[in-house]
Amino acid sequence: MGEIRNHGDDPEDSSNHIHLPKKPKLSSFITKSQIQQEFAHHQPGVARLNNGSFGSCPGSIIAAQKRWQLKFLQQPDDFFFNQLPTQILRSRTLIKDIINADDVSEVSIVDNATTAAAIVLQQVGWAFAEGRFHKGDAVVMLHCAFQAVKKSIEAYVTRAGGSVIVVHLPFPIKSNEEIISEFRKGLARGKANGRKVRLAIIDHITSMPSLIIPVRELVKICREEGVSQVFVDAAHAVGSVSVDVKDIGADFYVSNLHKWFFCPPSVALLYCRKSSLSSSELHHPVVSHEYGNGLAIESAWIGTRDYSSQLLVPEVIDFINRFEGGMDGIRDRNHEAVVEMAEMLAKAWGTSLGSPPEMCPSMAMVGLPSSLGVLSDGDASRLRNHLRDQFKVEVPIHYQPLKDTAAAAEEVEGGGADFITGYARISHQVYNTIDDYLKFRDAINQLLHDSFNCKMLPYPS
């Protein structure tokens, strides 16, 4: 079995695809022991294989955040009126270069991808309510869109008269062509009976199951089919895949910076292409003193709150540049490591990956042995809790129903090994070691040895 490359050891060259400030010439890059020190606040003994949900913040960034918080508390008036606007502009300027936007005015900083979705969907809802979009016109989204986005569609679009077309993607999946084919069918359903597709919501990286979506190709199809607006929900993207918003071509693009970019929770960027909408059509859902001065300015002042996580982009870039290859190097090594570990686990359990390696970001879906009996979302949730409580393994579990669910259940109950209905989503970030994945492997092997089945677990009372 191969070993995970440790960051800072055996460095390899990596081309730099994002336009960060020039990296300092370091005599040596960060070491394994220094990485361990940066993440020493993580609970010891836990195999933390779920960076995808909440990210991870290094100790040096936490210390920098405390300094910003203290600066506010020392003299709030001076901080809010004299320092905060300048420092948020500084972060926005750096983000502009990271995502290759044309102008800093296209970049707003918001709390998270959920807030960004509310901003985009709010203006779509207004367009329906004010008659600019016709009742029944469609919003097209992927079935695996994040639950908060689905709820935002319900809150802002369907109640204003819009219809929703859900594109169901196959999983396991073999190629981008399967995604493109289903997406074209979804747009065709949205345009049926003379309707127009007013918004397409496309994930860059789906959360569960986790896949890299061919966003550039899907945006191009949207333009060809006359879709009014395209919103890319890229909550997992920055720090995990290369991002070039001009090349992608969407009207709106959001990415959290606390998942894979080492910022503390919570902070996200929202890119709004300058040519898409006038500033009067986009507003932060929390209305405060800066209402009407443009989305970026509105978002930078939504009352008295802790803005420190939004100010740390310069410090985070300094941390990233301690690694060989900077962000590109981290991203490439995370991808290689997660694929290697996923293949190791699948081999150990006699299963398979849910997608080809090239469709895995810094996360991968690994099939679980069917004898574990993951036959519902409830089974997946209870198995996840069991792994956390009994084995100190933190990993999300995904239930994937088969087309013939009844036949699959009979096959699983009979001990069949070819029907995978449970998948583990493993992540890899710089703090992970091979021992984390071996701990997970051994936990599942112990459950198999004990003839464990999810039906043995009690349901929540």
Side-chain angles (χ1 to χ4, degrees):
M1 174 172 35
E3 292 187 354
I4 297 175
R5 290 189 179 94
N6 289 304
H7 310 281
D9 296 344
D10 187 24
E12 56 188 70
D13 291 332
S14 174
S15 60
N16 190 358
H17 298 297
I18 53 179
H19 307 289
L20 299 179
K22 290 184 178 180
K23 303 179 182 67
K25 293 182 179 180
L26 302 178
S27 57
S28 61
F29 292 96
I30 193 168
T31 64
K32 284 193 293 183
S33 62
Q34 289 171 335
I35 293 173
Q36 292 170 353
Q37 291 170 9
E38 286 281 6
F39 297 95
H41 54 281
H42 285 183
Q43 185 175 336
V46 176
R48 185 171 170 158
L49 305 181
N50 186 28
N51 192 87
S53 285
F54 301 106
S56 52
C57 187
S60 58
I61 302 302
I62 294 173
Q65 181 181 32
K66 289 179 179 177
R67 291 193 293 270
W68 277 116
Q69 290 169 334
L70 181 60
K71 187 170 291 189
F72 158 62
L73 294 172
Q74 287 171 332
Q75 223 295 36
D77 295 84
D78 177 65
F79 179 83
F80 269 113
F81 292 107
N82 296 329
Q83 298 185 51
L84 182 61
T86 300
Q87 295 302 325
I88 286 186
L89 178 59
R90 185 186 182 200
S91 289
R92 289 172 52 214
T93 302
L94 292 172
I95 291 168
K96 175 188 77 72
D97 293 336
I98 290 169
I99 64 174
N100 195 32
D102 271 328
D103 193 270
V104 70
S105 65
E106 299 175 310
V107 178
S108 300
I109 300 179
V110 295
D111 282 351
N112 45 46
T114 303
T115 304
I119 291 168
V120 173
L121 291 167
Q122 177 180 249
Q123 59 88 21
V124 174
W126 287 338
F128 277 106
E130 295 167 1
R132 288 179 282 123
F133 295 167
H134 299 302
K135 302 291 185 183
D137 281 352
V139 170
V140 173
M141 70 174 184
L142 307 183
H143 84 280
C144 45
F146 196 59
Q147 188 65 18
V149 174
K150 294 179 180 179
K151 292 295 185 181
S152 291
I153 292 173
E154 179 183 332
Y156 292 109
V157 177
T158 55
R159 69 179 297 175
S163 62
V164 180
I165 302 296
V166 179
V167 177
H168 289 269
L169 301 182
F171 186 82
I173 197 164
K174 296 180 180 179
S175 69
N176 285 334
E177 283 65 33
E178 295 176 79
I179 297 173
I180 292 170
S181 174
E182 293 303 315
F183 188 74
R184 286 188 181 277
K185 293 176 186 176
L187 290 183
R189 294 201 307 273
K191 295 172 66 177
N193 301 317
R195 296 183 303 183
K196 293 185 178 181
V197 177
R198 295 303 188 174
L199 179 70
I201 304 174
I202 305 169
D203 300 78
H204 196 161
I205 299 172
T206 57
S207 178
M208 189 71 89
S210 177
L211 301 166
I212 299 176
I213 301 295
V215 288
R216 183 176 179 275
E217 290 83 352
L218 297 191
V219 173
K220 185 173 183 290
I221 291 169
C222 287
R223 300 306 184 200
E224 294 169 352
E225 296 295 328
V227 175
S228 301
Q229 300 175 14
V230 183
F231 173 37
V232 174
D233 180 359
H236 287 272
V238 170
S240 184
V241 293
S242 179
V243 176
D244 184 330
V245 292
K246 285 194 290 188
D247 182 61
I248 292 168
D251 300 288
F252 310 106
Y253 187 98
V254 61
S255 183
N256 289 318
L257 300 180
H258 54 259
K259 285 186 181 288
W260 295 97
F261 194 69
F262 301 108
C263 283
S266 60
V267 57
L269 69 92
L270 173 58
Y271 163 81
C272 303
R273 193 172 64 167
K274 187 183 292 187
S275 59
S276 298
L277 290 171
S278 68
S279 59
S280 63
E281 296 180 73
L282 289 170
H283 295 284
H284 196 283
V286 177
V287 176
S288 192
H289 296 281
E290 296 291 355
Y291 181 82
N293 290 328
L295 179 62
I297 304 303
E298 288 184 18
S299 301
W301 182 282
I302 52 171
T304 302
R305 62 184 297 277
D306 183 2
Y307 293 89
S308 60
S309 58
Q310 302 185 7
L311 308 181
L312 289 162
V313 174
E315 289 88 344
V316 170
I317 290 175
D318 288 342
F319 172 78
I320 287 169
N321 286 339
R322 293 170 64 190
F323 291 79
E324 177 69 13
M327 192 72 259
D328 286 343
I330 293 172
R331 185 180 66 236
D332 292 345
R333 288 187 291 269
N334 279 341
H335 167 74
E336 292 169 5
V338 82
V339 169
E340 182 181 352
M341 292 298 97
E343 290 175 341
M344 178 273 290
L345 293 172
K347 182 178 180 181
W349 300 331
T351 62
S352 58
L353 273 62
S355 69
E358 62 269 19
M359 297 182 75
C360 299
S362 300
M363 302 182 287
M365 303 298 295
V366 186
L368 294 170
S370 58
S371 62
L372 296 178
V374 181
L375 296 175
S376 69
D377 291 329
D379 289 337
S381 177
R382 288 181 295 124
L383 177 57
R384 176 179 183 174
N385 293 340
H386 188 65
L387 289 167
R388 178 193 303 125
D389 296 340
Q390 299 300 318
F391 297 97
K392 292 190 174 182
V393 173
E394 188 60 64
V395 62
I397 306 298
H398 172 66
Y399 164 62
Q400 179 63 41
L402 301 178
K403 291 183 179 179
D404 189 343
T405 307
E410 291 179 7
E411 184 72 19
V412 171
E413 291 291 340
D418 296 330
F419 291 83
I420 299 175
T421 53
Y423 288 82
R425 187 191 77 182
I426 63 170
S427 296
H428 188 276
Q429 186 51 287
V430 297
Y431 55 80
N432 285 118
T433 68
I434 192 171
D435 289 340
D436 296 327
Y437 304 90
L438 297 179
K439 188 169 187 173
F440 182 30
R441 180 199 66 183
D442 295 345
I444 295 297
N445 285 344
Q446 182 65 51
L447 293 177
L448 296 174
H449 178 268
D450 296 340
S451 300
F452 168 90
N453 189 283
C454 283
K455 63 185 179 183
M456 299 175 180
L457 295 173
Y459 284 85
S461 56

